[in-house]
Amino acid sequence: MSPPDSSLSSQSIVLIGMMGSGKSSVGKKLATHLNLPFVDSDTEIQREAGMTIVEIFERFGEPYFREAEAGMIATLLDKGPAVISTGGGAILNQGTADRIFKNTISIWLDAPIPVLARRTQNNTDRPLLNNNDQEQTLIKLMNARRAIYERACIHQDSASDDVDAIAEALIPKINTARMSRI
Ligand code: S3P
């Protein structure tokens, strides 16, 4: 029997998509299925800064956060194969977007605005949504980002709250993407 081809699993899997699209919960499941470590770029940024994302936005502003985010994602991508969940706006940085779309198996988790609004409504950890019209904000952000999200290798509907089913649906798509990238 020939040994497993390590090149098949040498690429990171990167989840992109709007706030509330399920990147972290689906990412954790995928990591278990694929036997890869799971990392969340927002968690790592907060750990490194010793501050929450809300505090980073308040004290230093969004541009500072975006720089930190780009640096953190570059570091995570250099570390070797993992399932990486990114913040919804990470792909706004062109260097980050190019790295993700060129060097990883990227997955866009896509859910309708009302679903995103429902999932994010009781959470105050997202500075961009700490306002009175979250749904309108989500629409604006989605309109500005959709064309970038569309560059992902895999487009996965994540409207369902069944995280296990979404992760399971992704496995064959990831295997196909891995095969076509060797
Ligand atoms: C953001 C998404 C958040 C976080 C920050 C900004 C965005 O991450 O990075 O609040 O611009 O969409 P999640 O997508 O994990 O919520």
Side-chain angles (χ1 to χ4, degrees):
M1 199 169 87
S2 54
D5 182 347
S6 61
S7 66
L8 279 179
S9 53
S10 64
Q11 280 177 318
S12 283
I13 313 285
V14 178
L15 292 134
I16 64 169
M18 291 287 286
M19 296 176 268
S21 60
K23 300 178 298 278
S24 301
S25 40
V26 173
K28 282 180 198 153
K29 297 277 176 194
L30 275 181
T32 307
H33 277 287
L34 299 168
N35 203 16
L36 284 171
F38 171 76
V39 257
D40 178 317
S41 65
D42 282 341
T43 306
E44 297 307 312
I45 294 164
Q46 294 179 95
R47 195 198 313 276
E48 192 176 79
M51 264 181 259
T52 65
I53 289 178
V54 170
E55 286 167 339
I56 299 175
F57 268 67
E58 273 171 12
R59 290 178 61 177
F60 304 111
E62 183 174 347
Y64 177 92
F65 171 77
R66 296 295 174 203
E67 284 294 312
E69 181 174 51
M72 179 54 74
I73 292 173
T75 303
L76 296 177
L77 290 176
D78 281 348
K79 276 193 183 155
V83 176
I84 304 171
S85 154
T86 60
I91 41 68
L92 294 171
N93 178 293
Q94 196 169 337
T96 301
D98 289 343
R99 271 193 197 93
I100 291 174
F101 297 129
K102 205 167 148 221
N103 303 328
T104 78
I105 296 179
S106 48
I107 300 172
W108 171 26
L109 291 188
D110 184 18
I113 298 289
V115 173
L116 301 176
R118 170 177 54 79
R119 289 183 186 155
T120 53
Q121 68 186 347
N122 293 323
N123 186 303
T124 52
D125 297 343
R126 295 178 172 103
L128 299 179
L129 294 182
N130 288 342
N131 58 53
N132 292 330
D133 203 344
Q134 299 185 347
E135 193 147 338
Q136 208 42 48
T137 306
L138 286 165
I139 291 170
K140 262 196 236 152
L141 293 174
M142 179 63 128
N143 286 341
R145 297 173 180 180
R146 176 183 296 280
I148 312 176
Y149 292 145
E150 279 173 349
R151 290 174 62 195
C153 217
I154 296 171
H155 180 186
Q156 175 64 47
D157 185 326
S158 64
S160 157
D161 292 330
D162 187 344
V163 174
D164 286 298
I166 295 173
E168 272 160 36
L170 278 166
I171 299 296
K173 299 181 187 180
I174 291 169
N175 287 334
T176 305
R178 279 175 165 169
M179 296 300 289
S180 68
R181 277 170 163 255
I182 296 171

